[in-house]
Amino acid sequence: MLLEKMAEETISSIGFAQNPVLVGSNPPLVKKKRNLPGNPDPEAEVIALSPKTLMATNRFLCEICGKGFQRDQNLQLHRRGHNLPWKLKQRSSKEVRKRVYVCPEKACVHHHPSRALGDLTGIKKHFCRKHGEKKWKCEKCSKRYAVQSDWKAHSKTCGTREYKCDCGTIFSRRDSFITHRAFCDALAEETARVNAASTMNLAVGNNINMSSYHHHLMGTPLGPRMAQHFSSIFNPISSPTSNETIDQTSQGLSLWMGGQGNNNNLQEIHQLGSSVSSGAMFCTDINPPQADYQLNWVFGSNNKLPAAATSCDNGSEALASTSLPLSDIKISIGTHHQLVSVPSLYSSQQESSHRHHQALSSSANMSATALLQKAAQIGATSTDPSFLGSFGLKSNGNIQVQEGNQYCGLYSTSNTIASSLGSDYEDRNQIQMYPPAKRRHLQSDHQDSSNNGGGRGQTRDFLGVGVQAISCHPSSINGWI
Amino acid sequence: MAGMVQEEGSSSVTSSPLQFFSWMSLSPGLGSPYPWHRELKSEERGLCLIQLLVACANHVAAGSIENANIGLEHISHLASPDGDTMQRIAAYFTEALADRMLKGWPGLHKALNSTKISSVTEEILVQKLFFELCPFLKLAYVITNQAIVEAMEGEKMIHIIDLNSSEPAQWINLLQTLSARPEGPPHLRITGIHEQREVLEQMALRLTDEAEKLDIPFQFNPIVSKLENLDLERLRVKTGEALAVNSVLQLHTLLASDDEMLRKNSPSGSKAQNSNHLQRVLQMNNHRTLGEWLERDPVHVLSPSPESTSTISPLSLSASPKMGSFLNALWSLSPKLMVVTEQESNHNGPTLMERVIEALNFYAAMFDCLESTVLSRALIDRQKVEKMLFGEEIKNIIACEGIERKERHEKLEKWILRLELAGFGRVPLSYNGMLQATRLLQSYGYDGYKIKEENGCLVICWQERPLFSVSAWRFRR
């Protein structure tokens, strides 16, 4: 019925009179046979529908509510809901002649009956896709679609699974990506081999040369993409790369233990990584943490590397002089790091031993936390509880400022604090002036936090007086001058 | 040489005035009329700084600008971003106080800040540095992953929602753990939320790479959005998948709200009403009403806090509509697990002084920890973290109010209350998680850190001072 209706508006059906130009039709099967795409059944009836028909949707309208349906069957089922008489057409008993459809667009390939499409839905979609307006747009990328089902299918997969080659090409399909990468890798390996040969000596000149060469080679296939730029930030820091063997003990690699997860990938970029690291990272030695160098690249040559000079002379010089190619090198390095596996969250030996050294030789200064505790102790005699509990310091709004006295700030501050600490301190504040000699004596005794436990009473006294004495007695200090 | 205090490492100076001044002029930033400052030993100077800071904060809180200005002037001669720990802390605190003062002249403040260029690259780098230099994030990740693996035992489809997806390390570690599962790896889907597209692209790359290598079916769905504007529809949670939510130092930003307005609208917190509220809390069965109620009214629950030495303070939860609706929405997704990592400190006090004191204690520990942990050759990195991460947090805590104040850290006890009220049940973190964390500390050789267990939650401490808390939750009817 549908076709009959359409036939009224369209050109009458044409019999397929031409010679079959088709080659290799399907071997006949028991079931409904499906021709190869593009090879219509020579016995089929060719239908040419008008554009209007092809683009039309919802031709079947419910008379009650006006809702449109694409198929009569759907309309009938809907009519049931309105308690209207409905009738579902059965598939006609006689053998239906196979129909193929041609595209009405003259310039289209499928306009010719020999390239007719066998499916009505197919020809409709084709017409929309090729000759229709692209009304549906993907929200994530810029792709547009004329057929809603295409758009839906794309939206589901857009952005979810993307494969990106180091050269910057993006693929949505795994197979095409792998194929490309195989060829892409060949280029990369060659570069690596060339570079490895030239970087055996870590002389500065060579470094510069190699890095610029490296830049030259790698610069071309790489596009200046934001993602790569960021990859340089992300990757150099936490990737073990090929530093696995070179820098097994390097610490900048933080999370990733070099030994585990040794993949094929590591092998193939081993060379590359080594060349990269030796060339651009300046030091393939054990001690310097890669992280620092790499981090400092990102900012160009602004940052000084205090340790650079001591641990790797070549490196420090190289760093200073190769500020130019850095930006490009980091791109290439970043992308290569992507290929490397990253094992557990646990670090390497070297880093831990470094930390132990650090801990042992910690600064002689008191830690800030200890200072705060001490400050709280000073205020411990305060009887006024407040949320400044840790200090016992009163939040006193009215602090007197003595105008004209340059030193008054400290003076008045400690005055207030002194006032909250009780009277005994105040007395000391006003009256006692420790002679400089004695103060110096006390001070020299009090070296660092290690003395805290032992000389507590003395220390506290000293500090209780000392702070205020320093702050409140310009005369005593002036006496030194 | 009459009684000249000697700074460590400084050469002795005679008492001749000329030499004194020439020596003084060599010291950076000390062309000051306060010559004795230079003579202060580090400890005294530190104590002096603390006292000055507190006094200055008092002035700022009281609105006495003149005094505050003088205070800042004094501190400026002692503090320095390149000095010792206390000097650096003071530098950042005074900057925050000054910023707060300056906001009193909005025109001035805007003019001074208008040409500031915030570099996204730098921000991302600083996050990375924080991850690298301190163990906190690594520990949080390890503990979280352990909790996820345990909760998802036997699950075939796992969907993880990462509220701030910027560090691939966490998920790479999870992928590796999952690939070693005896029953085979599950199908893993991670939805990452972040404000910058590039960060998410990078995450996608790294993670899909790793999943490929381990042959784990994996999908990464990026969502470019601010957390507060997150449309949960975009998360596309499907039925049949086990959902886990990962929140590392993110949840507190949702507490930011227009406090003034809320205070005006909420009923006054009289004692009688407190007990009424408490009654209602206890009688509440329906979580939805709870959630809505939480949005509107502040909850006053009287409970003696075990650790505070001060007078009993009501453990009141500040009302936050955003938090309420967000937690509700998360709850409605019925997550199997939600792991929350937060700073263990109360930086959400209503008054400035409260926040200043709490922040001083907290960041003193953080600075100490950073100083002790960061190796001497990474000082520049350390300064970056101090300035761009801690400094900015301090500035936000001290100088901002209302909706701008995002760093609303709260202690674990408050988070527990909030989440329980929102309909989540606690999932005790297993001993294995603690083991993993301790193992990580050992393998890096981090000294001075400790993992403590508290009510089934883990607290990461530096020298006895708790700094970060990790707790796990699940959907509960």
Side-chain angles (χ1 to χ4, degrees), chain A residues 161 174 230 237 251 254-255 299 338 342-343 346-347 355 358 368-369 388 395 401 409 443 446 480, chain B residues 5 39 41 43 58 67 74 122 124-125 132 169 176 209 212 218 357 368 373-375 377 436 443-444:
Chain A
R161 206 173 168 86
R174 191 193 151 95
F230 275 91
I237 300 171
Q251 26 171 341
S254 67
L255 297 198
F299 298 112
Q338 292 164 14
V342 279
Y346 304 100
S347 81
R355 287 195 199 282
Q358 176 83 353
T369 328
L388 301 173
S395 56
V401 177
Q443 279 179 354
H446 175 74
W480 297 351
Chain B
V5 178
E39 300 154 25
K41 278 191 70 163
E43 190 179 319
N58 266 317
N67 292 337
H74 283 129
E122 290 268 324
I124 294 173
L125 191 82
E132 292 275 316
Q176 286 159 358
D209 254 0
E212 288 262 327
F218 175 76
I357 301 296
D368 282 336
T373 307
V374 172
L375 301 160
R377 49 183 82 115
Q436 294 267 27
S443 80
Y444 275 94

